[in-house]
Amino acid sequence: MVRSVLIVEDEPSIADTLIFALEKESFSPTRVATLSEARSAIAASEFSAIILDVGLPDGNGFDFCKELRKDSDIPVIFLTARGDEIDKIVGLEIGADDYVTKPFSPREITARLRAIFRRLDKSGRHSSEASFSSFEIDKCKRQIKFKNQTLELSRYEFGILELLLARPGQVFSRQQIMESVWEDPDMSLERTVDTHVKTLRGKLSAIESGEEYLLTHRGVGYSIKDEND
Ligand code: CA
């Protein structure tokens, strides 16, 4: 099965590199340089995934992703500027599936694409069963249920858990957590993340003590267990 991938990138050299890499891996790339072209392309044909630059001549990729997410769950990989942690976090929060930082190697992109398609194939195969998760999140009410019990969470605990749940299995560093959850991250110590994680973990184990869901990665950060693994 040939997967068609829409590349939205205004810089010709990057677009060419991507096209070359994708074709080499037997994907079928289509390239556009603006958001308005992207809208027309999506209206005209179906794509398996979108590689989306953040800075485009007629708008930014984040807004476009939000727009897309209103009626589509097509996989989106963001191309973000170098070292911009905030961009990455924002990207994941608004529903991107992955991100790659410029400059990237073409193999990095094709590996991410394959990983996304693998995940999709996996969940697609099991689509008749409900996807297993111990957590239920209600973003409007800012409420999270764990094992069908509503957790009483502080603002920071909610923010941390919400962020981790957006990407089960992915490790977030303390700094990433701070930048995403705290309004004024420079004013706090990264150690306060540990404190909130500790109380959060206590609340989870009060409901279920047998298994660890909130994982510590020493010297790196925290993640939520990927229950579909
Ligand atoms: Ca650009």
Side-chain angles (χ1 to χ4, degrees):
M1 169 185 184
V2 177
R3 311 263 196 181
S4 57
V5 178
L6 181 65
I7 300 167
V8 190
E9 169 61 77
D10 56 320
E11 228 167 289
S13 63
I14 295 177
D16 289 346
T17 309
L18 284 171
I19 290 168
F20 181 76
L22 263 60
E23 281 176 345
K24 205 168 140 217
E25 300 272 339
S26 307
F27 295 116
S28 162
T30 301
R31 186 249 173 162
V32 296
T34 62
L35 292 179
S36 69
E37 285 172 5
R39 283 186 197 99
S40 318
I42 290 168
S45 42
E46 213 165 297
F47 296 96
S48 302
I50 301 178
I51 298 175
L52 181 58
D53 184 27
V54 172
L56 290 156
D58 56 346
N60 85 59
F62 291 143
D63 292 337
F64 185 62
C65 184
K66 277 189 223 162
E67 181 186 319
L68 270 178
R69 281 290 171 262
K70 283 177 193 157
D71 54 18
S72 161
D73 54 5
I74 183 168
V76 173
I77 298 182
F78 274 117
L79 301 176
T80 72
R82 173 165 30 183
D84 203 337
E85 294 290 337
I86 300 273
D87 273 7
K88 294 177 191 170
I89 300 291
V90 169
L92 296 178
E93 280 188 333
I94 62 174
D97 294 81
D98 213 334
Y99 55 81
V100 173
T101 307
K102 292 179 188 174
F104 53 83
S105 75
R107 286 185 57 169
E108 198 179 342
I109 289 270
T110 51
R112 302 288 173 100
L113 273 176
R114 276 199 305 269
I116 287 174
F117 292 142
R118 254 198 321 272
R119 277 206 300 272
L120 282 182
D121 287 347
K122 219 162 114 188
S123 55
R125 254 203 321 275
H126 301 294
S127 61
S128 53
E129 305 160 23
S131 148
F132 177 66
S133 172
S134 303
F135 294 91
E136 259 174 86
I137 183 159
D138 186 332
K139 292 195 188 219
C140 299
K141 290 192 203 156
R142 290 185 69 78
Q143 245 179 25
I144 298 174
K145 280 185 183 175
F146 175 59
K147 306 274 176 190
N148 290 321
Q149 294 190 45
T150 302
L151 294 163
E152 298 284 337
L153 301 174
S154 72
R155 185 158 61 101
Y156 293 124
E157 288 163 359
F158 177 86
I160 293 169
L161 195 50
E162 182 188 33
L163 176 68
L164 298 182
L165 284 170
R167 300 293 309 260
Q170 179 173 316
V171 182
F172 289 87
S173 71
R174 289 172 179 79
Q175 197 195 342
Q176 287 175 318
I177 292 172
M178 293 227 83
E179 281 173 352
S180 169
V181 178
W182 268 253
E183 273 156 24
D184 201 354
D186 294 338
M187 297 298 288
S188 314
L189 292 167
E190 285 189 13
R191 219 175 310 144
T192 57
V193 173
D194 299 345
T195 311
H196 290 288
V197 166
K198 200 175 156 197
T199 55
L200 191 48
R201 187 173 275 146
K203 289 176 183 180
L204 298 182
S205 64
I207 293 172
E208 159 138 10
S209 58
E211 202 167 348
E212 199 61 80
Y213 285 85
L214 215 174
L215 310 174
T216 302
H217 303 262
R218 257 177 227 299
V220 189
Y222 298 102
S223 72
I224 278 286
K225 186 177 163 226
D226 185 352
E227 295 175 69
N228 290 310
D229 252 5

